[in-house]
């Protein structure tokens, strides 16, 4: 059952990216309706929690996958870098977070699809 662990981790990482996107895009709209939600849409600790969950989950999913896929690793690293940069540069926080979440999810989709459709060895 060890081979199902990376599949579960990739699926969890994709789900976390989706939750992050909902937080970034839907919560500010909901905050217009309810001021209490406005506190959550601006809370720095929420973004930090997403990054602290995404980083180890992503690394675990990509490290446990054999063979490793350079495209998936590059996409995931870029996505995590954008998420981390959003914590530092507040001017474009939402744009960087949305882009980072999408790029990170794309890396996990590449990883997931690669496991479902492994490359065939070519006959010499």
């Amino acid at each position: 059952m060890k081979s199902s662990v990376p599949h579960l981790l990739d699926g969890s990482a994709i789900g976390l990216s989706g939750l992050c996107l909902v937080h970034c895009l839907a919560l500010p709209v909901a905050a217009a309706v309810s001021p209490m939600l406005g506190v959550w849409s601006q809370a720095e600790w929420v973004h930090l929690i997403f990054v602290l969950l995404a980083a180890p989950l992503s690394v675990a999913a990509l490290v446990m996958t054999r063979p490793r896929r350079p495209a998936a690793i590059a996409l995931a690293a870029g996505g995590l870098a954008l998420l981390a940069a959003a914590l530092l540069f507040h001017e474009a926080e939402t744009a960087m977070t949305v882009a980072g979440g999408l790029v990170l999810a794309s890396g996990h989709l590449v990883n997931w699809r690669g496991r479902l459709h492994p490359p065939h060895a070519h006959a010499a």
Side-chain angles (χ1 to χ4, degrees), residues 1 3 8 11 36 47 56 68 71 73 84-85 91 93 96 104 108:
M1 286 295 146
S3 64
L8 177 65
M36 182 63 177
H47 186 104
R68 293 198 176 102
I73 293 169
E91 295 82 28
E93 180 179 7
M96 283 192 288
L104 180 58
H108 285 289

Side-chain angles (χ1 to χ4, degrees), residues 11-112:
S12 298
I14 292 166
L16 184 60
S17 292
L19 185 60
C20 183
L21 289 172
V22 168
H23 165 61
C24 286
L25 299 175
L27 203 52
V29 173
V33 176
S34 172
M36 182 63 177
L37 290 175
V39 173
W40 279 75
S41 71
Q42 300 299 321
E44 186 69 28
W45 63 269
V46 174
H47 186 104
L48 180 62
I49 294 293
F50 277 123
V51 173
L52 291 176
L53 289 173
L57 185 62
S58 295
V59 170
L62 296 167
V63 166
M64 295 179 88
T65 300
R66 300 278 191 263
R68 293 198 176 102
R69 290 159 187 85
I73 293 169
L75 285 167
L80 287 171
L82 282 167
L83 291 174
L87 285 171
L88 301 173
F89 306 108
H90 300 290
E91 295 82 28
E93 180 179 7
T94 300
M96 283 192 288
T97 301
V98 169
L102 290 172
V103 171
L104 180 58
S106 297
H108 285 289
L109 284 172
V110 167
N111 203 42
W112 188 330

